[in-house]
mmCIF file of all heavy atoms in Angstrom:
data_model
loop_
_atom_site.group_PDB
_atom_site.id
_atom_site.type_symbol
_atom_site.label_atom_id
_atom_site.label_comp_id
_atom_site.label_asym_id
_atom_site.label_seq_id
_atom_site.Cartn_x
_atom_site.Cartn_y
_atom_site.Cartn_z
ATOM 1 N N VAL A 62 8.553 -12.427 5.002
ATOM 2 C CA VAL A 62 8.345 -12.157 6.429
ATOM 3 C C VAL A 62 7.283 -13.099 6.987
ATOM 4 O O VAL A 62 6.571 -13.775 6.244
ATOM 5 C CB VAL A 62 7.946 -10.683 6.678
ATOM 6 C CG1 VAL A 62 9.049 -9.746 6.260
ATOM 7 C CG2 VAL A 62 6.649 -10.330 6.003
ATOM 8 N N SER A 63 7.167 -13.116 8.307
ATOM 9 C CA SER A 63 6.213 -14.015 8.966
ATOM 10 C C SER A 63 4.769 -13.631 8.638
ATOM 11 O O SER A 63 4.491 -12.507 8.225
ATOM 12 C CB SER A 63 6.418 -13.984 10.472
ATOM 13 O OG SER A 63 6.046 -12.717 10.980
ATOM 14 N N THR A 64 3.869 -14.565 8.874
ATOM 15 C CA THR A 64 2.451 -14.340 8.583
ATOM 16 C C THR A 64 1.889 -13.195 9.426
ATOM 17 O O THR A 64 1.096 -12.394 8.936
ATOM 18 C CB THR A 64 1.646 -15.630 8.844
ATOM 19 O OG1 THR A 64 2.200 -16.681 8.049
ATOM 20 C CG2 THR A 64 0.190 -15.456 8.503
ATOM 21 N N GLY A 65 2.303 -13.106 10.656
ATOM 22 C CA GLY A 65 1.841 -12.022 11.526
ATOM 23 C C GLY A 65 2.204 -10.653 10.990
ATOM 24 O O GLY A 65 1.391 -9.731 11.006
ATOM 25 N N LYS A 66 3.434 -10.515 10.514
ATOM 26 C CA LYS A 66 3.862 -9.239 9.949
ATOM 27 C C LYS A 66 3.127 -8.935 8.644
ATOM 28 O O LYS A 66 2.817 -7.782 8.356
ATOM 29 C CB LYS A 66 5.370 -9.237 9.719
ATOM 30 C CG LYS A 66 6.154 -9.170 10.996
ATOM 31 C CD LYS A 66 7.639 -9.091 10.745
ATOM 32 C CE LYS A 66 8.389 -9.039 12.059
ATOM 33 N NZ LYS A 66 9.840 -8.946 11.871
ATOM 34 N N LYS A 67 2.839 -9.968 7.875
ATOM 35 C CA LYS A 67 2.065 -9.758 6.643
ATOM 36 C C LYS A 67 0.681 -9.219 6.960
ATOM 37 O O LYS A 67 0.196 -8.300 6.289
ATOM 38 C CB LYS A 67 1.948 -11.069 5.857
ATOM 39 C CG LYS A 67 3.226 -11.502 5.195
ATOM 40 C CD LYS A 67 3.035 -12.812 4.442
ATOM 41 C CE LYS A 67 4.350 -13.284 3.858
ATOM 42 N NZ LYS A 67 4.222 -14.515 3.088
ATOM 43 N N VAL A 68 0.055 -9.764 7.999
ATOM 44 C CA VAL A 68 -1.278 -9.306 8.395
ATOM 45 C C VAL A 68 -1.226 -7.856 8.871
ATOM 46 O O VAL A 68 -2.068 -7.032 8.497
ATOM 47 C CB VAL A 68 -1.861 -10.227 9.492
ATOM 48 C CG1 VAL A 68 -3.128 -9.649 10.092
ATOM 49 C CG2 VAL A 68 -2.124 -11.610 8.927
ATOM 50 N N ILE A 69 -0.231 -7.528 9.670
ATOM 51 C CA ILE A 69 -0.103 -6.162 10.185
ATOM 52 C C ILE A 69 0.107 -5.170 9.045
ATOM 53 O O ILE A 69 -0.530 -4.116 8.994
ATOM 54 C CB ILE A 69 1.034 -6.076 11.227
ATOM 55 C CG1 ILE A 69 0.625 -6.841 12.484
ATOM 56 C CG2 ILE A 69 1.369 -4.628 11.560
ATOM 57 C CD1 ILE A 69 1.725 -7.009 13.498
ATOM 58 N N TRP A 70 1.004 -5.486 8.110
ATOM 59 C CA TRP A 70 1.247 -4.596 6.977
ATOM 60 C C TRP A 70 0.001 -4.444 6.112
ATOM 61 O O TRP A 70 -0.333 -3.347 5.673
ATOM 62 C CB TRP A 70 2.419 -5.093 6.123
ATOM 63 C CG TRP A 70 3.740 -4.678 6.671
ATOM 64 C CD1 TRP A 70 4.673 -5.483 7.250
ATOM 65 C CD2 TRP A 70 4.271 -3.355 6.725
ATOM 66 N NE1 TRP A 70 5.738 -4.728 7.654
ATOM 67 C CE2 TRP A 70 5.532 -3.421 7.338
ATOM 68 C CE3 TRP A 70 3.805 -2.117 6.314
ATOM 69 C CZ2 TRP A 70 6.315 -2.306 7.552
ATOM 70 C CZ3 TRP A 70 4.585 -0.994 6.525
ATOM 71 C CH2 TRP A 70 5.834 -1.089 7.143
ATOM 72 N N THR A 71 -0.709 -5.551 5.897
ATOM 73 C CA THR A 71 -1.921 -5.485 5.079
ATOM 74 C C THR A 71 -2.979 -4.621 5.746
ATOM 75 O O THR A 71 -3.617 -3.788 5.083
ATOM 76 C CB THR A 71 -2.464 -6.904 4.824
ATOM 77 O OG1 THR A 71 -1.445 -7.675 4.181
ATOM 78 C CG2 THR A 71 -3.694 -6.869 3.950
ATOM 79 N N LEU A 72 -3.184 -4.774 7.041
ATOM 80 C CA LEU A 72 -4.160 -3.954 7.754
ATOM 81 C C LEU A 72 -3.770 -2.484 7.746
ATOM 82 O O LEU A 72 -4.632 -1.606 7.587
ATOM 83 C CB LEU A 72 -4.321 -4.455 9.186
ATOM 84 C CG LEU A 72 -5.007 -5.810 9.337
ATOM 85 C CD1 LEU A 72 -4.998 -6.243 10.812
ATOM 86 C CD2 LEU A 72 -6.422 -5.763 8.791
ATOM 87 N N LEU A 73 -2.497 -2.198 7.893
ATOM 88 C CA LEU A 73 -2.025 -0.814 7.847
ATOM 89 C C LEU A 73 -2.328 -0.193 6.487
ATOM 90 O O LEU A 73 -2.826 0.934 6.405
ATOM 91 C CB LEU A 73 -0.520 -0.756 8.136
ATOM 92 C CG LEU A 73 0.114 0.632 8.081
ATOM 93 C CD1 LEU A 73 -0.364 1.466 9.257
ATOM 94 C CD2 LEU A 73 1.618 0.533 8.078
ATOM 95 N N ILE A 74 -2.065 -0.915 5.420
ATOM 96 C CA ILE A 74 -2.310 -0.407 4.074
ATOM 97 C C ILE A 74 -3.803 -0.255 3.801
ATOM 98 O O ILE A 74 -4.237 0.712 3.168
ATOM 99 C CB ILE A 74 -1.631 -1.310 3.027
ATOM 100 C CG1 ILE A 74 -0.118 -1.249 3.178
ATOM 101 C CG2 ILE A 74 -2.037 -0.918 1.611
ATOM 102 C CD1 ILE A 74 0.634 -2.326 2.425
ATOM 103 N N LEU A 75 -4.612 -1.196 4.311
ATOM 104 C CA LEU A 75 -6.062 -1.131 4.074
ATOM 105 C C LEU A 75 -6.733 0.004 4.847
ATOM 106 O O LEU A 75 -7.598 0.694 4.313
ATOM 107 C CB LEU A 75 -6.715 -2.456 4.447
ATOM 108 C CG LEU A 75 -6.493 -3.611 3.480
ATOM 109 C CD1 LEU A 75 -7.127 -4.880 4.048
ATOM 110 C CD2 LEU A 75 -7.073 -3.303 2.118
ATOM 111 N N PHE A 76 -6.371 0.188 6.120
ATOM 112 C CA PHE A 76 -7.036 1.187 6.941
ATOM 113 C C PHE A 76 -6.478 2.595 6.776
ATOM 114 O O PHE A 76 -7.183 3.567 7.067
ATOM 115 C CB PHE A 76 -7.006 0.781 8.414
ATOM 116 C CG PHE A 76 -7.920 -0.374 8.707
ATOM 117 C CD1 PHE A 76 -7.427 -1.563 9.189
ATOM 118 C CD2 PHE A 76 -9.281 -0.275 8.469
ATOM 119 C CE1 PHE A 76 -8.271 -2.628 9.457
ATOM 120 C CE2 PHE A 76 -10.137 -1.333 8.727
ATOM 121 C CZ PHE A 76 -9.629 -2.514 9.222
ATOM 122 N N LEU A 77 -5.238 2.724 6.348
ATOM 123 C CA LEU A 77 -4.628 4.034 6.082
ATOM 124 C C LEU A 77 -4.033 3.995 4.668
ATOM 125 O O LEU A 77 -2.810 3.875 4.522
ATOM 126 C CB LEU A 77 -3.543 4.343 7.106
ATOM 127 C CG LEU A 77 -3.980 4.369 8.570
ATOM 128 C CD1 LEU A 77 -2.768 4.458 9.477
ATOM 129 C CD2 LEU A 77 -4.924 5.529 8.804
ATOM 130 N N PRO A 78 -4.866 4.095 3.640
ATOM 131 C CA PRO A 78 -4.393 3.840 2.270
ATOM 132 C C PRO A 78 -3.193 4.692 1.836
ATOM 133 O O PRO A 78 -2.226 4.155 1.316
ATOM 134 C CB PRO A 78 -5.601 4.147 1.403
ATOM 135 C CG PRO A 78 -6.763 4.073 2.299
ATOM 136 C CD PRO A 78 -6.276 4.408 3.667
ATOM 137 N N ILE A 79 -3.219 5.971 2.087
ATOM 138 C CA ILE A 79 -2.119 6.831 1.621
ATOM 139 C C ILE A 79 -0.929 6.730 2.568
ATOM 140 O O ILE A 79 0.196 6.444 2.143
ATOM 141 C CB ILE A 79 -2.596 8.293 1.490
ATOM 142 C CG1 ILE A 79 -3.709 8.373 0.445
ATOM 143 C CG2 ILE A 79 -1.433 9.201 1.108
ATOM 144 C CD1 ILE A 79 -4.399 9.707 0.382
ATOM 145 N N LEU A 80 -1.172 6.949 3.848
ATOM 146 C CA LEU A 80 -0.083 6.887 4.831
ATOM 147 C C LEU A 80 0.502 5.484 4.926
ATOM 148 O O LEU A 80 1.720 5.307 5.000
ATOM 149 C CB LEU A 80 -0.591 7.357 6.198
ATOM 150 C CG LEU A 80 0.445 7.400 7.308
ATOM 151 C CD1 LEU A 80 1.543 8.404 6.963
ATOM 152 C CD2 LEU A 80 -0.213 7.759 8.618
ATOM 153 N N GLY A 81 -0.369 4.467 4.903
ATOM 154 C CA GLY A 81 0.106 3.086 4.956
ATOM 155 C C GLY A 81 0.992 2.734 3.783
ATOM 156 O O GLY A 81 2.013 2.052 3.941
ATOM 157 N N PHE A 82 0.618 3.216 2.591
ATOM 158 C CA PHE A 82 1.449 2.961 1.412
ATOM 159 C C PHE A 82 2.811 3.645 1.543
ATOM 160 O O PHE A 82 3.842 3.043 1.232
ATOM 161 C CB PHE A 82 0.746 3.444 0.134
ATOM 162 C CG PHE A 82 1.606 3.317 -1.083
ATOM 163 C CD1 PHE A 82 1.815 2.079 -1.680
ATOM 164 C CD2 PHE A 82 2.234 4.417 -1.632
ATOM 165 C CE1 PHE A 82 2.626 1.951 -2.791
ATOM 166 C CE2 PHE A 82 3.041 4.297 -2.741
ATOM 167 C CZ PHE A 82 3.233 3.056 -3.333
ATOM 168 N N ILE A 83 2.817 4.868 2.004
ATOM 169 C CA ILE A 83 4.085 5.604 2.143
ATOM 170 C C ILE A 83 4.991 4.927 3.171
ATOM 171 O O ILE A 83 6.189 4.761 2.931
ATOM 172 C CB ILE A 83 3.819 7.076 2.508
ATOM 173 C CG1 ILE A 83 3.137 7.787 1.330
ATOM 174 C CG2 ILE A 83 5.110 7.789 2.887
ATOM 175 C CD1 ILE A 83 2.624 9.167 1.648
ATOM 176 N N VAL A 84 4.412 4.523 4.300
ATOM 177 C CA VAL A 84 5.208 3.828 5.322
ATOM 178 C C VAL A 84 5.732 2.510 4.772
ATOM 179 O O VAL A 84 6.895 2.155 4.979
ATOM 180 C CB VAL A 84 4.378 3.619 6.608
ATOM 181 C CG1 VAL A 84 5.103 2.723 7.585
ATOM 182 C CG2 VAL A 84 4.042 4.946 7.242
ATOM 183 N N TRP A 85 4.872 1.760 4.058
ATOM 184 C CA TRP A 85 5.319 0.494 3.455
ATOM 185 C C TRP A 85 6.442 0.745 2.450
ATOM 186 O O TRP A 85 7.415 0.002 2.403
ATOM 187 C CB TRP A 85 4.161 -0.210 2.748
ATOM 188 C CG TRP A 85 4.628 -1.338 1.902
ATOM 189 C CD1 TRP A 85 4.949 -2.592 2.308
ATOM 190 C CD2 TRP A 85 4.887 -1.302 0.500
ATOM 191 N NE1 TRP A 85 5.379 -3.345 1.241
ATOM 192 C CE2 TRP A 85 5.361 -2.568 0.121
ATOM 193 C CE3 TRP A 85 4.772 -0.314 -0.468
ATOM 194 C CZ2 TRP A 85 5.707 -2.871 -1.185
ATOM 195 C CZ3 TRP A 85 5.112 -0.618 -1.774
ATOM 196 C CH2 TRP A 85 5.575 -1.895 -2.110
ATOM 197 N N LEU A 86 6.309 1.795 1.660
ATOM 198 C CA LEU A 86 7.310 2.104 0.646
ATOM 199 C C LEU A 86 8.680 2.377 1.272
ATOM 200 O O LEU A 86 9.708 1.977 0.742
ATOM 201 C CB LEU A 86 6.860 3.320 -0.175
ATOM 202 C CG LEU A 86 7.565 3.608 -1.476
ATOM 203 C CD1 LEU A 86 7.391 2.449 -2.443
ATOM 204 C CD2 LEU A 86 7.031 4.880 -2.095
ATOM 205 N N ILE A 87 8.676 3.012 2.439
ATOM 206 C CA ILE A 87 9.930 3.366 3.109
ATOM 207 C C ILE A 87 10.476 2.213 3.960
ATOM 208 O O ILE A 87 11.671 1.916 3.917
ATOM 209 C CB ILE A 87 9.727 4.619 3.989
ATOM 210 C CG1 ILE A 87 9.396 5.820 3.102
ATOM 211 C CG2 ILE A 87 10.959 4.900 4.841
ATOM 212 C CD1 ILE A 87 8.938 7.033 3.869
ATOM 213 N N MET A 88 9.589 1.528 4.698
ATOM 214 C CA MET A 88 10.062 0.572 5.693
ATOM 215 C C MET A 88 9.555 -0.852 5.513
ATOM 216 O O MET A 88 9.948 -1.734 6.270
ATOM 217 C CB MET A 88 9.628 1.035 7.090
ATOM 218 C CG MET A 88 10.162 2.365 7.466
ATOM 219 S SD MET A 88 9.503 3.070 9.002
ATOM 220 C CE MET A 88 8.954 1.702 9.941
ATOM 221 N N GLY A 89 8.681 -1.086 4.563
ATOM 222 C CA GLY A 89 8.010 -2.372 4.457
ATOM 223 C C GLY A 89 8.845 -3.479 3.845
ATOM 224 O O GLY A 89 9.901 -3.243 3.261
ATOM 225 N N PRO A 90 8.329 -4.710 3.971
ATOM 226 C CA PRO A 90 9.026 -5.858 3.384
ATOM 227 C C PRO A 90 8.895 -5.850 1.868
ATOM 228 O O PRO A 90 7.893 -5.396 1.318
ATOM 229 C CB PRO A 90 8.286 -7.061 3.990
ATOM 230 C CG PRO A 90 6.930 -6.549 4.284
ATOM 231 C CD PRO A 90 7.109 -5.102 4.652
ATOM 232 N N ARG A 91 9.886 -6.317 1.208
ATOM 233 C CA ARG A 91 9.868 -6.368 -0.252
ATOM 234 C C ARG A 91 9.605 -7.789 -0.705
ATOM 235 O O ARG A 91 9.928 -8.758 -0.010
ATOM 236 C CB ARG A 91 11.216 -5.909 -0.832
ATOM 237 C CG ARG A 91 11.552 -4.476 -0.465
ATOM 238 C CD ARG A 91 10.663 -3.525 -1.238
ATOM 239 N NE ARG A 91 11.025 -2.148 -0.970
ATOM 240 C CZ ARG A 91 10.269 -1.321 -0.263
ATOM 241 N NH1 ARG A 91 9.155 -1.724 0.257
ATOM 242 N NH2 ARG A 91 10.643 -0.097 -0.071
ATOM 243 N N ALA A 92 9.045 -7.896 -1.880
ATOM 244 C CA ALA A 92 8.801 -9.224 -2.469
ATOM 245 C C ALA A 92 10.139 -9.880 -2.763
ATOM 246 O O ALA A 92 11.133 -9.198 -3.034
ATOM 247 C CB ALA A 92 7.980 -9.094 -3.732
ATOM 248 N N ALA A 93 10.155 -11.186 -2.709
ATOM 249 C CA ALA A 93 11.379 -11.922 -3.003
ATOM 250 C C ALA A 93 11.776 -11.688 -4.452
ATOM 251 O O ALA A 93 10.944 -11.747 -5.361
ATOM 252 C CB ALA A 93 11.166 -13.403 -2.742
ATOM 253 N N GLN A 94 13.042 -11.405 -4.672
ATOM 254 C CA GLN A 94 13.530 -11.168 -6.039
ATOM 255 C C GLN A 94 13.666 -12.480 -6.773
ATOM 256 O O GLN A 94 14.177 -13.458 -6.250
ATOM 257 C CB GLN A 94 14.896 -10.471 -5.988
ATOM 258 C CG GLN A 94 14.856 -9.110 -5.343
ATOM 259 C CD GLN A 94 14.111 -8.090 -6.181
ATOM 260 O OE1 GLN A 94 14.080 -8.170 -7.404
ATOM 261 N NE2 GLN A 94 13.477 -7.143 -5.526
#
Side-chain angles (χ1 to χ4, degrees):
V62 297
S63 68
T64 303
K66 288 183 181 181
K67 288 180 184 182
V68 170
I69 291 171
W70 277 110
T71 302
L72 291 175
L73 178 70
I74 295 167
L75 286 176
F76 288 119
L77 301 171
I79 298 171
L80 182 63
F82 175 76
I83 293 170
V84 171
W85 168 81
L86 195 61
I87 295 170
M88 300 172 24
R91 299 288 184 251
Q94 297 291 330

